[in-house]
Amino acid sequence: MAWVYLALAGLFEIGWAVGLRATEGFSRPVPVALTLIAMVLSLGALGLALRTLPLGTAYAIWTGIGTVGTVIFGVIVAGESVSPIRLGAIALIVIGIAGLKLAGEH
């Protein structure tokens, strides 16, 4: 169950990172409220995952999910650039996440 909590924490991290941009400097009340809710849910789910997962593994995977998801959102929705170097860097993060997940099972 800890891995499910960690995955949810990562998804909510994507939500608050994307939402943070939508707040336009915390000047839009609805995006601010939704961003704060996503932050609380992300940290809450991370806290539940940390009951059984190692701190270093959980934190790295949490931030990795957030990083990769936010970049994907930026490329697909916000029209950010895609380059071979950028894709390679994201692939390395995904490989690192998979490696930490596998290492956490032993």
Side-chain angles (χ1 to χ4, degrees):
M1 193 65 187
W3 291 106
V4 173
Y5 288 135
L6 187 57
L8 288 172
L11 293 174
F12 283 118
E13 185 185 2
I14 297 165
W16 75 253
V18 170
L20 196 58
R21 182 176 181 198
T23 68
E24 295 180 11
F26 294 97
S27 64
R28 300 179 61 213
V30 172
V32 167
L34 293 174
T35 299
L36 291 174
I37 290 168
M39 286 177 173
V40 168
L41 291 172
S42 180
L43 289 172
L46 178 61
L48 292 173
L50 286 173
R51 287 180 173 171
T52 56
L53 298 177
L55 173 63
T57 299
Y59 183 77
I61 292 174
W62 176 63
T63 59
I65 293 169
T67 301
V68 171
T70 303
V71 170
I72 291 170
F73 179 90
V75 168
I76 293 173
V77 177
E80 294 177 4
S81 68
V82 179
S83 68
I85 292 175
R86 194 168 190 199
L87 291 175
I90 293 300
L92 289 172
I93 294 170
V94 171
I95 290 168
I97 291 170
L100 287 169
K101 166 73 169 88
L102 292 173
E105 293 178 352
H106 294 81

